[in-house]
Amino acid sequence: MAMSAVSPASILDKPLIHFGRRVLDRTAPGAPDAEYRFLDVLPLTPHIGAEITGVDLSKPIGEDLAGELRQALLEWKVVFFRDQHDFGPDHHLALAAVWGEPEANPFFPKAETPGVSRLAKDAMAIGNENIWHSDHSFMAAPALGSVLRAVEVPPAGGDTMWADMAVAYDNLSDEMKARIEGLTAEHDWVPTWGSFMTEEQIAGLRKNLPAVQHPVVVRHPQSGRKVLYVNEPFTTQIVGLSDAESQELLSELVLQARIPEFQVRFRWQPDSVAIWDNIAVQHYAINDYYPQRRVMERIAIAGVPLS
Ligand code: SIN
């Protein structure tokens, strides 16, 4: 992705003005704390991100463990596993299948193993994922999650960050919540991925990938929690507002992912695995390691239309 759909000038005009107390609820109010028998959970922040221990992901995943993995992801929104040295593409596919079907990214190079995308970055192939985004929000049914495995990591740098967008919603002012209630936004891949393409290539892909609309505030399909669902590269317009008003509102909303208390940051090691709930969070791959090499393998999990 080469450019942001929201003009940088309008972002600079709107400095972050929120400070002081944050509301940092991990789960929907009233949801019981989960109990785990088949894995251990080590939280990395009070509300987003937990390391899971006691699990070998190269072994078959029975229904008991699968249920706890789904629960842990719902509760922590992004979960991490370390030292999964025997984890290969088949285990990767089996892990993703705990949540659903693999979904290919239409813009990634064709995968060697169907469903598994290889993201190899170095001085010759600079990564473009260093912008807060939600995978595949430009699709009518955006990916419900992604499973990412570190194959090769730089000696320093190359971390990934995730931001809790339910907490981002909770911390909006009452005035802003009222302003965005019931609004819908357009999401489109053309301003970003299309900037690398010819007009003919865009027209060819357009047939299967029209611009789509999602509510600005969606209900999480499992938890029912309200989630702020606009992101910088793919959300292009708030439906029914003038361009100026839409840009002004979007430029403020997309900044919420940048608030540090909403985030968790993960330092990768070879054979670390992360799984994130792509509706509950946005993520940002830090591009600070060139010319060192970083190789990751990713499976996105097909989602459902949002409401
Ligand atoms: C992505 O945006 O899905 C890639 C994340 C990463 O490489 O850390």
Side-chain angles (χ1 to χ4, degrees), residues 1 108 119 121 128-131 133 135 146 148 158-162 268 276 283-286 289 294 296 298:
M1 288 168 279
F108 286 171
L119 308 172
K121 308 289 166 62
N128 297 308
E129 293 86 10
N130 54 340
I131 185 166
H133 66 285
D135 288 332
S146 289
L148 189 65
D159 298 358
T160 306
M161 299 177 73
W162 289 264
W268 295 95
W276 63 92
H283 59 286
Y284 183 112
I286 296 174
Y289 50 87
R294 179 181 187 267
M296 312 294 276
R298 196 189 87 171

Side-chain angles (χ1 to χ4, degrees), residues 36-76:
Y36 298 101
R37 290 194 301 134
F38 298 91
L39 51 82
D40 293 307
V41 172
L42 177 69
L44 300 188
T45 81
H47 65 99
I48 178 173
E51 217 167 298
I52 305 287
T53 58
V55 177
D56 179 348
L57 295 173
S58 68
K59 300 273 187 317
I61 300 174
E63 196 35 54
D64 287 334
L65 177 58
E68 291 200 359
L69 290 171
R70 285 191 284 264
Q71 181 59 37
L73 186 63
L74 192 60
E75 196 176 4
W76 291 98

Side-chain angles (χ1 to χ4, degrees), residues 46 49 57 120 130 176 189 215 222 262:
L57 295 173
N130 54 340
M176 179 59 91
W189 55 274
Q222 278 86 46
F262 304 169

Side-chain angles (χ1 to χ4, degrees), residues 89-303:
D90 289 345
H91 308 117
H92 202 157
L93 285 161
L95 181 58
V98 167
W99 287 270
E101 293 295 316
E103 173 176 88
N105 180 299
F107 308 111
F108 286 171
K110 204 166 162 29
E112 214 169 279
T113 307
V116 185
S117 300
R118 179 166 267 244
L119 308 172
K121 308 289 166 62
D122 55 25
M124 303 303 290
I126 306 290
N128 297 308
E129 293 86 10
N130 54 340
I131 185 166
W132 284 103
H133 66 285
S134 177
D135 288 332
H136 306 185
S137 83
F138 49 79
M139 291 183 166
L144 67 82
S146 289
V147 184
L148 189 65
R149 169 191 173 216
V151 178
E152 205 177 316
V153 298
D159 298 358
T160 306
M161 299 177 73
W162 289 264
D164 184 333
M165 299 311 292
V167 155
Y169 174 79
D170 291 345
N171 284 275
L172 294 174
S173 66
D174 289 345
E175 185 194 9
M176 179 59 91
K177 285 179 183 162
R179 190 171 167 204
I180 61 178
E181 184 68 33
L183 289 181
T184 298
E186 187 170 275
H187 294 239
D188 195 354
W189 55 274
V190 171
T192 49
W193 288 108
S195 65
F196 301 107
M197 298 176 193
T198 63
E199 288 301 317
E200 291 72 33
Q201 286 171 321
I202 292 175
L205 279 163
R206 200 46 155 167
K207 290 181 211 127
N208 292 329
L209 288 172
V212 297
Q213 293 183 0
H214 304 295
V216 169
V217 180
V218 300
R219 288 273 180 191
H220 187 275
Q222 278 86 46
S223 70
R225 222 171 148 186
K226 286 186 170 181
V227 176
L228 180 60
Y229 195 74
V230 291
N231 68 86
E232 212 168 330
F234 302 132
T235 313
T236 47
Q237 177 79 31
I238 309 251
V239 177
L241 301 191
S242 68
D243 283 356
E245 208 186 336
S246 167
Q247 285 293 307
E248 183 259 326
L249 185 52
L250 277 178
S251 67
E252 184 158 353
L253 293 176
V254 298
L255 287 182
Q256 306 309 309
R258 300 188 188 181
I259 295 177
E261 290 94 335
F262 304 169
Q263 302 168 354
V264 64
R265 177 170 177 152
F266 186 65
R267 169 84 190 110
W268 295 95
Q269 295 166 327
D271 301 324
S272 300
V273 175
I275 309 169
W276 63 92
D277 177 329
N278 186 55
I279 308 305
V281 303
Q282 291 186 22
H283 59 286
Y284 183 112
I286 296 174
N287 277 4
D288 59 357
Y289 50 87
Y290 302 111
Q292 303 296 324
R293 193 169 153 80
R294 179 181 187 267
V295 181
M296 312 294 276
E297 288 185 347
R298 196 189 87 171
I299 300 179
I301 304 160

